[in-house]
Amino acid sequence: MAIIGRSGAVALLAALALGMAACGKTGSHRASSGGPVLAITGAVAAPGAVSVATRNTTRLGGGEAVADAAAVARTVYPGLTSDTRPRAVVIVDRANRSAALAAAALAGAPLDAPLLYSEGGKLPELTRETLAALRPTGVTALGGVQVISIGAGSPAGFLTRRIATGEAATTAVAVEQLLASVQPVAATRSVIVVPSDAPAPLQMPAAGLAAESATPILYAAGTGVPAATRAALAALRKPAIYLIDAAALGAHAIAQLRALGPVTSVSSGSGEESSAAGNAIAVARFTNGTFGWGVKEPGHGVVIANVARPLDAPAAAPLSATGDYAPLLLVEGAAAVPAALSTYLGDIQPAYTSAPQFRPVRGVYNHGWLIGDESAISAIAQAEIDTLLEISPRKQSSEEASVQQAE
């Protein structure tokens, strides 16, 4: 493993971010036009944090969510050219986890806005430095707004749109309305519904899914669907409703949702999916038409975070909406890779045979973004993940052997 100090991390993350623009899906980000090079200012990670890179993994962040969000934002938007600056940045009070989760949808098209954390109405030094380095260009559709502040005050020097915070459902609806105001009108709309009273680890995968699909997150509860959520769903006129952790809602709330639109369970929250790692895998595997990750084969990025740090899910959301479009997966402790995650990564592990046409250079590759320092994911766990992501040899099938002989 290569261990890179704080100054080296700046260069590494900038280089990685530039490389990301050349791969993954297309359509939601602007191509570089070779604009002027901009100075990088501020730190990528908290003092003392390191960036550890292996063949197939890159670690971003430090010991807590402020550093993790800053590192992701600087990786996705290095600011080296005018076209590698974001249009807007979202700032959320780190004490408001439900608002941060809902704000993850803003990381998707068309806003493509990375998320940073405040501490109440104040910006930590690292957040302030990162915002200054990102220098958001402004969202034309929002009158040039550069910062979307959700319970985080208004940073000086930036045109800010403030979203008031209150009940989880009310704040989520305000985020949904902001997103709808800049999205093109579509005949069919989709929403992701998350149980507000579900354990935080089971909610976490919704962040990446919302960012990838630019689909808003709304909240319901086991006792029923809040009035704010019902009103938003009614206004959307029978949207497709996708449930995360359906077991936490129960029959009554699901029946209320079905009266407002067709309901599909992305993850049941029962059986193997009752674990945080299993639930995240179910979300990564799910697909319904054009909605969902559907990651069931090699050739993908993945984001891996620790269940003990739920704020890392919204912080990492931009990695799900750009580059290699990576779904969020979870470890349940820093020291080890859960069996379910190990099995899943093995299922999607790239492979090759000895046949010339199936050489590694002709294959597809997986890459893992690890969020946080070794208190989140240990170096040993990172090494294990790296091995599971590495393209590896496999026995040549009879069909492949026949092709080779024919050639």
Side-chain angles (χ1 to χ4, degrees):
M1 294 185 187
I3 300 180
I4 302 167
R6 185 182 180 193
S7 61
V10 176
L12 170 66
L13 296 179
L16 285 169
L18 289 177
M20 286 166 57
C23 61
K25 297 181 182 178
T26 60
S28 64
H29 284 270
R30 299 158 291 173
S32 174
S33 61
V37 174
L38 306 175
I40 293 181
T41 61
V44 171
V50 297
S51 176
V52 181
T54 66
R55 299 167 298 176
N56 305 294
T57 69
T58 306
R59 187 187 294 269
L60 299 177
E64 44 77 44
V66 170
D68 298 345
V72 170
R74 294 298 304 276
T75 299
V76 176
Y77 293 104
L80 295 172
T81 68
S82 58
D83 289 323
T84 55
R85 293 161 56 192
R87 285 180 282 270
V89 173
V90 178
I91 303 179
V92 186
D93 179 3
R94 62 178 299 163
N96 196 333
R97 180 172 53 81
S98 62
L101 186 68
L106 303 178
L111 287 176
D112 305 313
L115 182 145
L116 300 174
Y117 287 115
S118 72
E119 294 177 345
K122 297 182 179 179
L123 298 187
E125 180 182 359
L126 183 55
T127 295
R128 186 171 60 253
E129 291 175 346
T130 302
L131 179 60
L134 293 174
R135 292 196 294 161
T137 60
V139 181
T140 302
L142 295 177
V145 163
Q146 298 166 288
V147 172
I148 299 167
S149 172
I150 305 178
S154 300
F158 296 92
L159 184 59
T160 301
R161 169 75 67 89
R162 300 185 64 176
I163 294 178
T165 56
E167 296 293 330
T170 303
T171 303
V173 168
V175 173
E176 181 273 327
Q177 291 174 343
L178 175 67
L179 184 60
S181 71
V182 297
Q183 286 180 323
V185 177
T188 303
R189 294 292 305 278
S190 299
V191 298
I192 299 167
V193 171
V194 174
S196 57
D197 45 6
L202 296 181
Q203 297 178 346
M204 289 173 71
L209 181 60
E212 184 275 334
S213 59
T215 299
I217 292 173
L218 298 177
Y219 288 107
T223 55
V225 181
T229 300
R230 291 200 307 270
L233 292 173
L236 292 172
R237 299 183 179 182
K238 301 290 183 180
I241 300 171
Y242 293 97
L243 300 185
I244 303 290
D245 187 17
L249 284 182
H252 174 64
I254 291 175
Q256 288 184 315
L257 291 171
R258 283 185 175 139
L260 295 163
V263 173
T264 303
S265 175
V266 174
S267 63
S268 66
S270 60
E272 292 183 356
E273 297 175 18
S274 62
S275 72
N279 181 65
I281 291 165
V283 175
R285 287 185 180 276
F286 177 83
T287 184
N288 181 28
T290 60
F291 182 87
W293 289 109
V295 175
K296 304 173 184 177
E297 68 291 309
H300 298 281
V302 294
V303 176
I304 302 178
N306 190 309
V307 299
R309 293 165 64 159
L311 290 177
D312 283 354
L319 298 171
S320 296
T322 189
D324 47 23
Y325 286 74
L328 179 70
L329 302 173
L330 296 170
V331 297
E332 296 169 348
V337 180
L341 177 57
S342 180
T343 298
Y344 175 65
L345 293 179
D347 289 344
I348 65 170
Q349 185 174 21
Y352 66 93
T353 72
S354 58
Q357 66 271 36
F358 297 110
R359 293 179 301 157
V361 71
R362 303 291 185 188
V364 296
Y365 311 98
N366 291 346
H367 177 261
W369 297 101
L370 275 56
I371 307 302
D373 62 11
E374 288 193 41
S375 68
I377 302 173
S378 71
I380 293 175
Q382 180 175 7
E384 182 179 348
I385 292 167
D386 177 86
T387 300
L388 289 166
L389 295 172
E390 171 71 7
I391 188 169
S392 60
R394 64 173 170 81
K395 185 177 179 180
Q396 188 175 8
S397 70
S398 57
E399 181 180 355
E400 290 166 345
S402 298
V403 172
Q404 184 176 5
Q405 291 172 0
E407 294 179 348

